[in-house]
Amino acid sequence: MGTRINTALSLTALVVAVGGATPVGQAAWNAVVPRNSVGTAELKRNAVTAARLAPNAVRTAHILNGTLLLEDFKADQIPKGPKGDDGLPGVSGLQVVTATAFIAAGTQEGVHVSCPAGKKALGGGFAGLSGMLKVVASSPDSDLMGWLLIVKNDGTFANNVGVSVICAKVA
């Protein structure tokens, strides 16, 4: 009985030694477990975490350009670039000025709404046109200090029209 155990152990040791150390053994191992056999398809989502990676397992060559985000880095790990130029001055003090005008029947009249001192007209418009009022012109005045609306009343009754201008300080 002892001889059989010794023989079995010897044969097992021989198979293990020869199987892993010879080209034939390597070929047999690769046939059962092919190289790179565990890939993306075999991994579950979030199965590989930082704790499971060996030190230096992921190197620069493994990172695709443009895939890292600012939050992937520690504070002060990314140097700040030079300060950019100051932006252009913008607008301030936005204000809408509105006026209502009475347009007599059978007349054409201009209605002008002015911006407060120091402000320019950015846009404008009108409201309250009845079917008898026709807009001839609606535009900023020549110096951008207000809005001009020219309206013609083809009706037999007087009508009111509202004119608005959007004003702001422009640097």
Side-chain angles (χ1 to χ4, degrees):
M1 181 77 137
T3 332
R4 283 189 185 173
I5 291 177
N6 289 341
T7 304
L9 286 176
S10 298
L11 284 173
T12 303
L14 180 63
V15 167
V16 169
V18 170
T22 65
V24 173
Q26 285 296 321
W29 176 259
N30 289 338
V32 175
V33 181
R35 184 168 177 78
N36 296 325
S37 65
V38 177
T40 307
E42 291 79 24
L43 292 176
K44 291 181 183 176
R45 190 168 212 30
N46 298 322
V48 178
T49 61
R52 293 186 177 189
L53 290 175
N56 298 318
V58 178
R59 297 175 182 252
T60 302
H62 299 113
I63 307 295
L64 296 175
N65 286 338
T67 59
L68 294 176
L69 303 174
L70 184 61
E71 54 264 15
D72 294 326
F73 297 91
K74 294 177 184 172
D76 298 325
Q77 194 173 6
I78 297 177
K80 291 186 171 131
K83 184 180 181 315
D85 295 334
D86 289 338
L88 296 175
V91 298
S92 63
L94 193 66
Q95 179 180 2
V96 177
V97 180
T98 303
T100 302
F102 183 78
I103 311 298
T107 64
Q108 177 174 309
E109 297 185 34
V111 182
H112 186 265
V113 182
S114 296
C115 289
K119 294 188 177 183
K120 299 275 187 185
L122 302 180
F126 51 88
L129 292 179
S130 71
M132 293 293 120
L133 291 178
K134 308 265 188 296
V135 174
V136 176
S138 178
S139 65
D141 58 20
S142 60
D143 60 358
L144 297 177
M145 297 303 290
W147 199 262
L148 177 63
L149 177 71
I150 301 174
V151 180
K152 184 176 182 183
N153 185 351
D154 289 334
T156 55
F157 299 102
N159 285 286
N160 288 332
V161 64
V163 183
S164 297
V165 62
I166 302 168
C167 307
K169 289 182 182 178
V170 180

